[in-house]
């Protein structure tokens, strides 16, 4: 593969303008960096929120930016010193890889706490800015520049690039979050709030970990059907039930105790309030999806009188990418994982992909190399 001089990329230029397809210079390869050609990317609700300006107050999100943080790509060129993935497996041109955002390795959280996803100097993939090195960090582009210290893993043979891409946000986040629960028990009851990609991947994870009773609260019906196929033993339509009815159902399934674990994957503030009413005394609430700017109302007595514990996590490090890929690889015969994928779009129709998310699609797939020829730069008025 020849090293490209320019790359088309979908940019949020500012929060007042529609998405634009622009061309950026591809920076020269420095030591330990890597250039990849995007094979597939997937769009996420977060991309929609960034494009809509909902995240303008988030300090790590810096416009102008190249959008997209779920992607896999093929190695075009390796900088000096970058010869293997993060498991020591040799990397060569053409290999399909995924990579984590580059943590700094020189802050308290990277070094002492060993919680790199809390790094204070992180330059998150797809969060910009495109005005400073390494410019091309978003997945809705022909090429991504993977800077030094970005840990990378090979995508297992046989895994489709689009499915692997969808695992680089939702699934690896689920894997990381479940690590904070401690040991799952083969007698547990889990309630999963939310039936988007995060909730469905959490359902599959619970099933694979041997949890016998899995209750999924969500909507609409087609997503609840996927939840059933992926291991839900009970599904509850959140749109046609009340908080009291959902609680009654969970209590009736647990001899009146409540569930051992609640995984909040819906992201809406009232769900966290509800989660505490679904948990048994001494149960655990796992916060995976929270992104609602509204506060949740809770009684602090849940945490002493009822001894409910709460944990959560943000994003994932490269170990969680690897684990998510291994799960997809080893369990593809039991789960139709591709059910999370939506229609396919080009760079020029990313605005349509974000509109599809707003209309209920889980993971629209972006194929940057099926786009119209370079120099055909146009505005995407459908973006909002
Ligand atoms: Zn995402
Ligand atoms: Zn750091």
């Amino acid at each position: 593969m020849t090293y490209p001089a320019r790359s088309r990329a979908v940019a949020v230029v500012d929060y007042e303008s529609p998405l634009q397809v622009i061309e950026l210079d591809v920076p020269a390869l420095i030591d330990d960096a890597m250039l990849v050609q995007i094979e597939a990317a997937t769009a996420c609700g977060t991309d929609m929120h960034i494009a809509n300006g909902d995240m303008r107050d988030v300090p790590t999100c810096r416009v102008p930016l190249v959008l997209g943080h779920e992607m896999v790509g093929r190695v075009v060129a390796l900088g000096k010193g970058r010869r293997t993935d993060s498991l020591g497996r040799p990397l060569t041109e053409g290999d399909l890889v995924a990579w984590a955002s580059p943590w700094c390795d020189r802050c308290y959280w990277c070094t002492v706490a060993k919680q790199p996803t809390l790094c204070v100097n992180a330059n998150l993939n797809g969060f910009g800015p495109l005005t400073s090195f390494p410019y091309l960090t978003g997945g809705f582009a022909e090429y991504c520049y993977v800077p030094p210290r970005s840990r990378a893993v090979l995508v297992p043979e046989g895994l489709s690039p689009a499915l692997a891409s969808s695992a680089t946000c939702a699934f690896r986040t689920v894997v990381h979050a479940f690590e904070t629960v401690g040991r799952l028990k083969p007698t547990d009851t889990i309630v999963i709030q939310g039936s988007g990609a995060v909730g469905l991947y959490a359902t599959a994870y619970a099933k694979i970990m041997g949890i016998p009773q899995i209750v999924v609260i969500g909507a609409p019906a087609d997503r609840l059907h996927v939840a059933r196929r992926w291991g839900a033993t009970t599904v509850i339509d959140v749109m046609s039930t009340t908080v009291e009815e959902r609680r009654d159902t969970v209590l009736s399934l647990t001899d009146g105790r409540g569930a051992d674990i609640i995984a909040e994957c819906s992201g809406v503030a009232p769900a966290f309030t509800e989660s505490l009413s679904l948990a048994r005394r001494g149960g655990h609430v796992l916060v995976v999806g929270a992104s609602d700017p509204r506060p949740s109302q809770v009684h602090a007595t849940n945490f002493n009188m009822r001894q409910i514990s709460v944990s959560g996590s943000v994003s994932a490090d490269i170990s969680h990418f690897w684990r998510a890929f291994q799960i997809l690889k080893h369990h593809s015969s039991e789960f139709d994982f591709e059910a999370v994928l939506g229609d396919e779009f080009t760079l020029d129709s990313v605005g349509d992909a974000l509109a599809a998310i707003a209309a209920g699609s889980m993971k629209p797939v972006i194929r940057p190399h099926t786009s119209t020829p370079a120099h055909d730069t146009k505005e995407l008025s459908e973006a909002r």
Side-chain angles (χ1 to χ4, degrees), residues 162-190:
L163 186 60
S165 174
S166 79
T168 65
C169 178
F171 201 7
R172 49 89 158 140
T173 302
V174 165
V175 171
H176 186 193
F178 270 100
E179 274 188 0
T180 70
V181 180
R183 201 159 57 87
L184 302 173
K185 298 181 188 66
T187 51
D188 280 344
T189 293
I190 186 169

Side-chain angles (χ1 to χ4, degrees), residues 53-126:
D54 302 338
M55 293 176 67
R56 67 179 72 219
D57 295 329
V58 175
T60 51
C61 186
R62 291 165 291 177
V63 293
L65 56 80
V66 177
L67 199 60
H69 58 275
E70 306 180 12
M71 61 280 197
V72 294
R74 295 202 180 274
V75 174
V76 174
L78 297 162
K80 192 176 165 201
R82 170 92 63 167
R83 286 292 169 265
T84 67
D85 79 351
S86 293
L87 279 75
R89 298 172 295 186
L91 281 182
T92 52
E93 193 182 298
D95 281 343
L96 190 64
V97 292
W99 57 100
S101 296
W103 321 119
C104 79
D105 275 346
R106 52 180 68 99
C107 75
Y108 179 90
W109 288 270
C110 285
T111 307
V112 178
K114 294 186 170 38
Q115 294 172 306
T117 61
L118 299 177
C119 173
V120 286
N121 302 313
N123 195 11
L124 301 178
N125 295 335

Side-chain angles (χ1 to χ4, degrees), residues 38 64 139 176 209 320 370:
I38 298 300
H176 186 193
M209 294 301 284
H320 308 115
T370 56

